[in-house]
Amino acid sequence: MTVRLINCDQSYLEPIRDIFNDAILNSTALYEFEPRSTQTMQTWFEFKRSNNYPILGLVNADNRLMGFASYGQFRPFPGFRLTVEHSVYIHPDFRRQGLGRRLLAEIIEYARAQQFHSLIGCIDASNTSSIELHKMMGFVHHGRLPEAGYKF
């Protein structure tokens, strides 16, 4: 299978929104309750663009978005300026094919190139696939926030 890395632009807004909305409706990867609107996604894209935060995607030979990764500000205080919180999302049709690992590796390299010092992944305890992926990529568990959020 041919898989190509891209920098997602606005033309990928709807496929990214579809992946986000699947995560909102069917998982605890996002603690949102309502699907994201096109306007919400336009604002999200503009925030990423204006802050020079990447949106990296993997597409197949048909240019179908298989997954994407991004990061953004961790906390809005100057002492956290070298730390970002990252996310990796894979379309349900393409899970368990190693795409998450590839996207995570790419986003790590992108963060290094932008001279960020620390990447943080906030992962729900039930998302064992993501936890294992992060362990394989050298991330270390540093804390828990029990009962801080709820969904379903």
Side-chain angles (χ1 to χ4, degrees):
M1 172 174 45
T2 302
V3 178
R4 185 170 45 94
L5 181 71
I6 61 166
N7 283 304
C8 295
D9 59 21
Q10 286 271 350
S11 68
Y12 287 93
L13 184 146
E14 287 302 322
I16 289 173
R17 185 171 81 99
D18 290 343
I19 293 170
F20 267 139
N21 286 343
D22 175 72
I24 290 167
L25 296 173
N26 300 304
S27 77
T28 54
L30 288 164
Y31 275 78
E32 297 173 44
F33 297 154
E34 299 297 325
R36 291 186 180 186
S37 67
T38 299
Q39 178 59 49
T40 299
M41 291 305 301
Q42 288 169 339
T43 301
W44 181 82
F45 261 97
E46 178 54 30
F47 178 79
K48 297 290 184 179
R49 188 201 60 74
S50 66
N51 287 284
N52 200 28
Y53 295 137
I55 306 168
L56 304 179
L58 292 175
V59 295
N60 65 11
D62 297 325
N63 207 39
R64 184 172 175 206
L65 186 68
M66 303 166 77
F68 70 95
S70 187
Y71 55 73
Q73 182 180 39
F74 174 64
R75 295 284 187 269
F77 306 107
F80 292 112
R81 73 187 176 283
L82 299 178
T83 301
V84 289
E85 182 178 346
H86 68 277
S87 299
V88 176
Y89 294 94
I90 306 299
H91 188 284
D93 292 349
F94 300 106
R95 292 183 184 147
R96 301 236 172 258
Q97 297 179 28
L99 302 176
R101 183 182 181 104
R102 182 166 172 194
L103 282 168
L104 185 53
E106 294 288 348
I107 210 77
I108 291 167
E109 288 306 311
Y110 206 99
R112 282 185 180 137
Q114 287 189 310
Q115 299 183 341
F116 286 108
H117 174 72
S118 181
L119 278 83
I120 294 177
C122 295
I123 306 167
D124 187 272
S126 67
N127 192 346
T128 55
S129 295
S130 185
I131 292 168
E132 288 304 312
L133 169 63
H134 281 78
K135 283 181 187 176
M136 286 189 313
M137 298 294 292
F139 285 80
V140 178
H141 181 262
H142 283 288
R144 295 183 65 223
L145 299 170
E147 300 183 28
Y150 71 95
K151 191 169 178 183
F152 304 125

